């Protein structure tokens, strides 16, 4: 745990990682502003079911594109894949901003433009997961992952609050326009990264063969496919409730965009604290620690179900942010150590697809389910699924057996 600060921040000494870090930080600023803006732009023109449709379609398109993005990122320089994705997302957000600012924000337009955004978003995760190890030396890998998470989470403290202010004082379209500009700046930075070209033998193989090879690598790791499968089911319930019912409850009972911004900002504070922990935390069983770390994420849903005041939901969302940040850092570090570099983008696309493919279903149906069963009952169902899923994954032998490199050496000795 006693790692000097200059060591923990060592990845910033490497040029390519600095460019990646700066680019992702800038675009995260815009996206944090836009997350609240989009939700309240839809709610201003429609209902909670409409919000679920917009978010669900975007997530569905992203899931479909993930596999393509994984193959593309293992064939091409991964930074250039991210450049193309950023420009596409920026164009989609610029058009969305124009539609909202001109008062033409019909459900059809918002769905179509956010579907385009989803195409770009589907290429981001596979490319970035594989790019991080290419921009930083191996001993600094966990610190690099922690810093990537911290940059997003630090922005998450101020981004939602700023988004709430823009929505309240100006228009959701203004925040969406800022998001569009951030993608352009991000693309310019990522284009300067120098990445080793992909092997010629890989580039010559067929698309379907690369898909099969990626799938074979994915299913060869029981710790990977079992965790992804169970968490995928849990995410369907959790994210659907949080992303759709959360803004609706805030709008109806907690005071509107300002209250929801406070809650999200508190989660960002917790995530920053979690990033600090992840810079120092070296568990002997990193995968098991990663699986258990997100358990505090159930607390904000409990608060919404019990009608807690905004400040109390925000307080427990701090703990939620800590857990999620530690989970993500440990998960990506284990993934990047255990999966061969040449297949990381393809395997990560299956990882992301399995984790998120059911989320659009949850987003689309959580509104109607809440109408029939009640909002509180729907929230409690999501909490129960999350707890059971975590217990199931923690009981998988290969998850419990995974050890950190130094712990494995000590055990062998």
């Amino acid at each position: 745990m006693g790692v000097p600060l200059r060591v923990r921040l060592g990845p910033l000494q490497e040029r390519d990682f600095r460019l990646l870090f700066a680019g992702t930080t800038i675009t995260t600023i815009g996206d944090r502003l836009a997350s609240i803006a989009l939700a309240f732009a839809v709610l201003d023109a429609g209902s909670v079911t409409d919000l679920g449709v917009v978010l669900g379609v975007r997530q569905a398109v992203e899931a479909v594109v993930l596999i393509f993005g994984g193959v593309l990122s293992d064939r091409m320089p991964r930074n250039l894949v991210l450049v193309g994705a950023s420009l596409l997302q920026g164009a989609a957000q610029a058009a969305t901003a124009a539609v909202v600012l001109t008062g033409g924000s019909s459900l059809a337009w918002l769905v179509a433009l956010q579907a385009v955004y989803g195409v770009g978003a589907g290429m981001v995760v596979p490319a970035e997961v594989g790019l991080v190890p290419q921009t930083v030396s191996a001993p600094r890998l966990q610190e690099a992952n922690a810093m990537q998470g911290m940059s997003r989470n630090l922005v998450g403290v101020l981004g939602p609050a700023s988004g709430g202010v823009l929505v309240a004082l100006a228009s959701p379209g203004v925040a969406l326009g800022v998001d569009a500009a951030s993608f352009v700046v991000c693309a310019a930075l990522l284009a300067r990264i120098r990445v080793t070209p992909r092997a010629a033998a890989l580039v010559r193989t067929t698309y379907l063969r690369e898909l099969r090879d990626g799938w074979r690598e994915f299913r060869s790791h029981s710790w990977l496919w079992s965790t992804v499968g169970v968490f995928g089911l849990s995410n369907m319930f959790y994210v659907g409730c949080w992303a759709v019912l959360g803004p609706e409850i805030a709008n109806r009972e907690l005071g509107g965009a300002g209250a929801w911004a406070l809650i999200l900002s508190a989660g960002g504070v917790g995530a920053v604290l979690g990033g600090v922990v992840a810079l120092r935390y070296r568990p002997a069983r990193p995968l098991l620690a990663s699986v258990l770390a997100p358990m505090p994420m159930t607390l904000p849903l409990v608060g919404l179900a019990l009608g807690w005041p905004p400040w109390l939901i925000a307080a427990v969302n701090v703990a939620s942010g800590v857990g999620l940040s530690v989970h993500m850092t440990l998960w990506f570090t284990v993934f990047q150590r255990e999966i061969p570099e040449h297949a990381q983008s393809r395997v990560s696309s299956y990882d992301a697809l399995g984790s998120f493919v059911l989320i659009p279903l949850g987003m689309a149906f959580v509104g109607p389910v809440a109408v029939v069963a009640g909002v509180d009952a729907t929230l409690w169902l999501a909490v129960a699924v999350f707890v059971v899923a975590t217990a199931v994954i923690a009981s998988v032998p290969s998850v419990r057996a995974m050890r950190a490199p130094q712990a494995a050496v000590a055990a062998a000795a």
Side-chain angles (χ1 to χ4, degrees):
M1 294 288 286
V3 182
L5 180 63
R6 62 180 178 80
V7 175
R8 298 199 298 270
L9 301 182
L12 289 178
Q13 299 175 22
E14 305 190 31
R15 173 189 177 274
D16 288 339
F17 181 77
R18 284 200 306 272
L19 290 170
L20 176 62
F21 181 81
T24 54
T25 299
I26 289 170
T27 193
T28 301
I29 293 173
D31 260 359
R32 293 291 186 177
L33 295 175
S35 63
I36 287 184
L38 180 64
F40 283 89
V42 176
L43 290 175
D44 285 345
S47 65
V48 65
T49 300
D50 293 337
L51 177 58
V53 170
V54 172
L55 297 179
V57 168
R58 185 173 80 177
Q59 194 75 42
V61 172
E62 181 177 345
V64 170
V65 174
L66 272 171
I67 301 300
F68 169 78
V71 174
L72 187 66
S73 298
D74 278 339
R75 293 173 68 97
M76 294 180 60
R78 289 169 176 142
N79 65 311
L80 297 185
V81 175
L82 288 174
V83 169
S86 294
L87 293 176
L88 185 59
Q89 289 173 284
Q93 293 299 70
T96 304
V99 166
V100 172
L101 288 171
T102 57
S105 52
S106 68
L107 179 62
W109 269 111
L110 294 175
V111 167
L113 291 172
Q114 290 308 300
V116 174
Y117 181 97
V119 174
M123 294 187 285
V124 171
V125 172
E128 187 174 332
V129 170
L131 183 59
V132 171
Q134 292 184 295
T135 61
V136 71
S137 52
R140 291 170 168 167
L141 183 58
Q142 181 168 329
E143 287 80 5
N145 283 317
M147 291 184 66
Q148 281 291 91
M150 283 183 65
S151 70
R152 293 186 175 93
N153 299 329
L154 185 59
V155 170
V157 177
L158 300 177
S162 302
V165 171
L166 285 176
V167 170
L169 299 182
S171 163
V174 174
L176 290 165
V178 173
D179 190 25
S182 74
F183 280 114
V184 176
V185 176
C186 176
L189 291 170
L190 295 178
R192 299 177 58 198
I193 295 176
R194 295 189 291 263
V195 175
T196 304
R198 314 309 299 154
L202 178 61
V203 174
R204 287 196 297 268
T205 60
T206 66
Y207 180 83
L208 290 178
R209 180 177 177 180
E210 291 177 47
L211 278 180
R212 289 195 300 267
D213 290 345
W215 175 252
R216 189 178 301 113
E217 183 69 36
F218 175 81
R219 65 185 177 86
S220 69
H221 301 276
S222 61
W223 62 268
L224 179 59
W225 59 258
S226 60
T227 302
V228 168
V230 178
F231 264 148
L233 179 64
S234 175
N235 286 340
M236 178 182 72
F237 288 89
Y238 184 91
V239 179
C241 285
W242 184 251
V244 176
L245 296 184
E248 170 64 11
I249 294 172
N251 200 38
R252 189 181 68 245
E253 301 177 6
L254 303 180
W260 191 237
L262 171 66
I263 292 169
L264 295 183
S265 296
V269 171
V272 172
L273 296 176
V276 174
V277 172
L279 283 172
R280 302 168 59 89
Y281 186 35
R282 294 293 187 277
R285 301 177 188 269
L287 188 55
L288 180 60
S290 173
V291 167
L292 296 176
M295 278 298 294
M297 291 176 63
T298 58
L299 297 177
L301 291 186
V302 171
L304 291 174
L306 294 178
W308 291 352
W311 67 266
L312 185 53
I313 300 175
V316 297
N317 206 30
V318 173
S320 174
V322 171
L324 180 60
S325 184
V326 172
H327 161 71
M328 296 297 289
T329 298
L330 294 177
W331 174 261
F332 284 128
T333 302
V334 169
F335 181 94
Q336 291 157 348
R337 284 173 177 164
E338 298 295 325
I339 305 300
E341 186 277 332
H342 67 85
Q344 283 181 0
S345 290
R346 280 169 289 169
V347 176
S348 70
S349 69
Y350 286 113
D351 170 11
L353 179 63
S355 298
F356 305 130
V357 69
L358 295 178
I359 289 178
L361 187 63
M363 288 181 169
F365 285 99
V366 70
V369 169
V371 170
V372 174
V375 171
D376 292 349
T378 307
L379 292 170
W380 283 116
L381 175 62
V383 171
V385 171
F386 194 102
V387 172
V388 172
T390 301
V392 169
I393 297 171
S395 68
V396 174
S398 56
V399 171
R400 303 179 68 87
M402 179 75 69
R403 289 179 175 270
Q406 63 271 29
V409 172

